[in-house]
Amino acid sequence: MSFVADLRVVLQGRDFRRLFGTRLVSQFSDGIFQFGVLGFAFFNPESQTTALGVAAGLAVLLLPYSVLGPFVGVFIDRWSRRQILMIAPIVRGGLLLGAAALVAADVPDPVFYVAALAVLGVNRFFLAALGASLPHVVPRDRLMAANAVTPTSGTVVTFVGVGAGFLLRGLFGSGDAGVALLLATSGVVFGFSALIARTMERSLLGPVHDPDRPQTREALRNVVAGLADGARHLVGHRVAAATMGAMAAHRFFYGMATALGIILYRYYFTDGDPEAALSGASLVVATSGVGYFLAVIITPYATERFTITRWVPMALVAAGLLAGVLVAPFQEWGLPVAGFVLGLAGQSVKICADTTVQRDLDDAYLGRAFSVYDMLFNGMYVLAAALSAAILPANGKSYTAVVIITAGYLLSALAYAMITRSREPVSR
């Protein structure tokens, strides 16, 4: 299994272990925080959940990554990254304690969402600093292995954090006081990542001083122009652009499926019982996590056997057909299986998108291309939730939504196949 082999290799480095530990603790805390926000927004027995509320909750969780993403690099290339990894957890912990106090005080939901956005904004800087620090703790010949294992491990630990949040909710209670305690717990756990970061030398993680680097104000002005330049370069590479487009399409229809599933569990399957709804939705999250992890194992072998340009439409077709078959009966058993299918297919497409962008684009454009990537990855998900708010009925049972999801995946697969069909060599 290449994942295990890669992990063994990179864990031999002491500095990598410290940075890796910082990531794992922080993303475990993220899982608890995300569960707390989702529980407050969607499964709080003291409030009603609507499709519009689902869209708002998902926007809170994801928009900071889309809006701030392109700009954070300006600062992490100028500030001590080790100091960011030390200070950000303290700031985030303080914000989480403040958010917990707001929930306990029963403030209006928009006030809580503003606090949550601030927490996630700080977290965006933290994660970007982690990514930029990696080349400083791993030899060049092990960088590919480190890039393979760190995001996957972080995602798995986030799912574990979600599970821990579920267990803690049973201990703390499901009301506002319970949510407040979850948020406070997340803040305390996140603080431990600062203690791990403190064990590294201040200069270890960079950035390297560059006297020719543009001033911060000029660099910020250049971000928008850089995004446009990166997008133009990306469009000139057909396979990479098409595969990123396939990833964006998946995120849109996966976002619709998420909103559909939340409302179905909240009302259609459970008659409005928030605890039963949360248990059902948590099972879907768990099966999706299994699908994500299996994609890491399966995708390298599948792309070797079929090539990327064939595997991507196969994954999209499987996602569309199986999701439609599993969800259309509107039986509770179908959603966890659909979650597994969409997790496996979607992560497969994402891995292919990562690979083609890194392989095909010039190195000088990679940062800008991945900024476009991040905006699409999160923005399409939020856009889908907004569309769901417009079309979903109060109980969530919508054949229209199922048809859109199924047809959308199939049409995306067809478009991808047509775009990548050319006289270029078949991409692996």
Side-chain angles (χ1 to χ4, degrees), residues 331-391:
Q331 297 294 315
E332 191 170 351
W333 60 266
L335 270 67
V337 184
F340 170 79
V341 170
L342 293 181
L344 174 59
Q347 188 67 4
S348 289
V349 173
K350 183 182 183 301
I351 292 170
C352 292
D354 292 348
T355 302
T356 55
V357 171
Q358 291 174 340
R359 181 200 63 194
D360 294 352
L361 269 60
D362 296 342
D363 184 69
Y365 289 89
L366 281 180
R368 284 167 284 182
F370 273 106
S371 292
V372 175
Y373 187 120
D374 287 343
M375 294 177 72
L376 287 172
F377 187 83
N378 296 300
M380 295 298 285
Y381 197 85
V382 174
L383 182 63
L387 174 62
S388 299
I391 67 173

Side-chain angles (χ1 to χ4, degrees), residues 32-33 35-36 164-165 168-169 172 177-187:
I32 299 174
F33 170 73
F35 183 86
L168 289 172
R169 179 184 169 99
F172 295 153
V179 173
L181 286 171
L182 271 180
L183 298 178
T185 301
S186 174

Side-chain angles (χ1 to χ4, degrees), residues 19 22 26 71-93 121-133 190-191 193-198 200-203 205-207:
L19 188 69
T22 303
S26 68
F71 297 92
V72 297
V74 173
F75 297 100
I76 63 173
D77 286 344
R78 288 164 174 78
W79 298 346
S80 168
R81 292 169 190 151
R82 184 261 202 172
Q83 293 304 99
I84 293 174
L85 298 182
M86 283 183 56
I87 296 171
I90 298 172
V91 174
R92 188 179 188 268
V122 173
N123 199 47
R124 186 67 184 92
F125 278 89
F126 185 89
L127 291 175
L130 280 173
S133 300
F190 202 91
S193 65
L195 298 179
I196 301 174
R198 191 175 184 274
M200 293 181 280
E201 293 292 334
R202 178 167 182 159
S203 61
L205 307 179

Side-chain angles (χ1 to χ4, degrees), residues 136-161:
H136 294 266
V137 298
V138 178
R140 183 176 295 273
D141 61 344
R142 296 182 178 178
L143 187 57
M144 182 175 295
N147 274 316
V149 302
T150 52
T152 299
S153 300
T155 300
V156 170
V157 169
T158 299
F159 277 111
V160 174

Side-chain angles (χ1 to χ4, degrees), residues 1 16 18 22 35 40 75 81 102 111 144 213-214 238 247 272 298 323 338 349 362 381 383 397 410:
M1 187 185 301
F16 173 82
R18 292 174 176 176
T22 303
F35 183 86
F40 176 83
F75 297 100
R81 292 169 190 151
L102 291 175
V111 177
M144 182 175 295
R213 181 183 290 126
R238 180 179 301 185
M247 178 277 301
I298 293 172
V349 173
D362 296 342
Y381 197 85
L383 182 63
K397 185 178 181 181
L410 298 179

Side-chain angles (χ1 to χ4, degrees), residues 32-388:
I32 299 174
F33 170 73
Q34 291 176 19
F35 183 86
V37 173
L38 292 173
F40 176 83
F42 308 146
F43 305 105
N44 192 334
E46 300 173 19
S47 63
Q48 295 296 311
T49 300
T50 64
L52 182 60
V54 170
L58 293 176
V60 166
L61 288 173
L62 296 173
L63 279 183
Y65 295 90
S66 295
V67 176
L68 294 177
F71 297 92
V72 297
V74 173
F75 297 100
I76 63 173
D77 286 344
R78 288 164 174 78
W79 298 346
S80 168
R81 292 169 190 151
R82 184 261 202 172
Q83 293 304 99
I84 293 174
L85 298 182
M86 283 183 56
I87 296 171
I90 298 172
V91 174
R92 188 179 188 268
L95 290 171
L96 278 167
L97 292 175
L102 291 175
V103 173
D106 196 24
V107 298
D109 290 359
V111 177
F112 167 74
Y113 286 148
V114 170
L117 281 169
V119 170
L120 288 164
V122 173
N123 199 47
R124 186 67 184 92
F125 278 89
F126 185 89
L127 291 175
L130 280 173
S133 300
L134 192 60
H136 294 266
V137 298
V138 178
R140 183 176 295 273
D141 61 344
R142 296 182 178 178
L143 187 57
M144 182 175 295
N147 274 316
V149 302
T150 52
T152 299
S153 300
T155 300
V156 170
V157 169
T158 299
F159 277 111
V160 174
V162 171
F166 179 81
L167 296 175
L168 289 172
R169 179 184 169 99
L171 179 64
F172 295 153
S174 57
D176 287 346
V179 173
L181 286 171
L182 271 180
L183 298 178
T185 301
S186 174
V188 172
V189 172
F190 202 91
F192 290 126
S193 65
L195 298 179
I196 301 174
R198 191 175 184 274
T199 64
M200 293 181 280
E201 293 292 334
R202 178 167 182 159
S203 61
L204 174 66
L205 307 179
V208 177
H209 176 66
D210 181 0
D212 298 325
R213 181 183 290 126
Q215 295 297 312
T216 301
R217 184 176 300 178
E218 180 185 353
L220 289 172
R221 285 198 303 266
N222 291 338
V223 167
V224 176
L227 286 174
D229 196 25
R232 284 193 294 269
H233 184 75
L234 178 64
V235 169
H237 294 75
R238 180 179 301 185
V239 174
T243 311
M244 188 183 291
M247 178 277 301
H250 158 71
R251 289 292 291 177
F252 183 86
F253 300 115
Y254 188 58
M256 286 196 68
T258 300
L260 175 66
I262 289 172
I263 300 298
L264 283 173
Y265 273 113
R266 187 69 167 88
Y267 296 110
Y268 185 74
F269 293 141
T270 63
D271 294 325
D273 181 349
E275 293 305 309
L278 182 60
S279 296
S282 297
L283 179 59
V284 177
V285 171
T287 58
S288 296
V290 174
Y292 271 64
F293 183 73
L294 286 181
V296 177
I297 300 172
I298 293 172
T299 304
Y301 297 103
T303 53
E304 180 68 23
R305 171 68 177 83
F306 298 107
T307 74
I308 285 176
T309 51
R310 291 176 183 155
W311 179 245
V312 168
M314 289 168 65
L316 293 173
V317 169
L321 291 178
L322 292 176
V325 169
L326 292 165
V327 177
F330 290 101
Q331 297 294 315
E332 191 170 351
W333 60 266
L335 270 67
V337 184
F340 170 79
V341 170
L342 293 181
L344 174 59
Q347 188 67 4
S348 289
V349 173
K350 183 182 183 301
I351 292 170
C352 292
D354 292 348
T355 302
T356 55
V357 171
Q358 291 174 340
R359 181 200 63 194
D360 294 352
L361 269 60
D362 296 342
D363 184 69
Y365 289 89
L366 281 180
R368 284 167 284 182
F370 273 106
S371 292
V372 175
Y373 187 120
D374 287 343
M375 294 177 72
L376 287 172
F377 187 83
N378 296 300
M380 295 298 285
Y381 197 85
V382 174
L383 182 63
L387 174 62
S388 299

